[in-house]
Amino acid sequence: MSRNTLTNETWSRLLPILKQLGIYRKKNLRKTVEGILFRLRTGCQWADIPSYFGKANSL
């Protein structure tokens, strides 16, 4: 199972929207967004998010 939930096409459409909303363009923004989507999809606790997505307190 792939951990990536965003295709390149979806990400290319989402990124300008995030920038327009003033979301800070940090180094791993895509992984951060994917981590948030992972949590929403699975319903897991923030502390249980796989480290692949970054630290839970950074998401």
Side-chain angles (χ1 to χ4, degrees):
M1 179 174 138
S2 174
R3 292 182 182 172
N4 296 332
T5 57
L6 298 173
T7 63
N8 288 336
E9 180 182 352
T10 303
W11 180 247
S12 68
R13 291 180 179 186
L14 181 59
L15 185 57
I17 296 168
L18 294 174
K19 286 182 178 179
Q20 184 179 15
L21 292 172
I23 303 297
Y24 172 66
R25 177 70 167 111
K26 64 186 212 173
K27 181 179 161 186
N28 295 321
L29 181 58
R30 184 172 178 165
K31 278 190 182 181
T32 299
V33 172
E34 288 178 349
I36 293 168
L37 292 174
F38 177 86
R39 188 209 181 260
L40 292 172
R41 187 177 68 250
T42 64
C44 71
Q45 298 294 316
W46 285 109
D48 296 332
I49 293 177
S51 61
Y52 168 81
F53 298 113
K55 295 181 180 179
N57 62 352
S58 297
L59 297 177

